[in-house]
Amino acid sequence: MALQCNINQRGRRARFNWGLLMLAVAAAFAVAAAAGWWASPWAWAAAAICLAFALFGFFEARKGWCVVRAMGIKTPI
């Protein structure tokens, strides 16, 4: 089953920017965990979760597909 494009260029840009933001947050968590500023396994878990969100945002931007719109929910972008 192929993913059908359901967002326009504005939506793609928004998802790409979301991916960049999540990538930066994941890097910040990873640096904090590696430097010992937040010495907890939760820091690595937070970094991994943010990285997963970033990768999914990039995937949505690349494919022009939004999971929320695919479920029938109308988004403003």
Side-chain angles (χ1 to χ4, degrees):
M1 179 171 111
L3 300 176
Q4 188 176 13
C5 184
N6 63 3
I7 56 175
N8 58 15
Q9 283 302 112
R10 189 170 162 225
R12 283 179 161 202
R13 219 172 308 119
R15 275 125 186 112
F16 182 78
N17 289 338
W18 171 256
L20 288 178
L21 176 67
M22 286 292 100
L23 191 61
V25 172
F29 280 135
V31 167
W37 299 328
W38 187 17
S40 169
W42 290 108
W44 290 110
I49 290 168
C50 288
L51 179 62
F53 277 119
L55 293 175
F56 190 68
F58 292 141
F59 171 77
E60 284 186 325
R62 175 77 173 113
K63 293 294 183 180
W65 178 78
C66 176
V67 69
V68 175
R69 283 184 162 249
M71 291 188 296
I73 300 170
K74 299 295 180 193
T75 60
I77 296 177

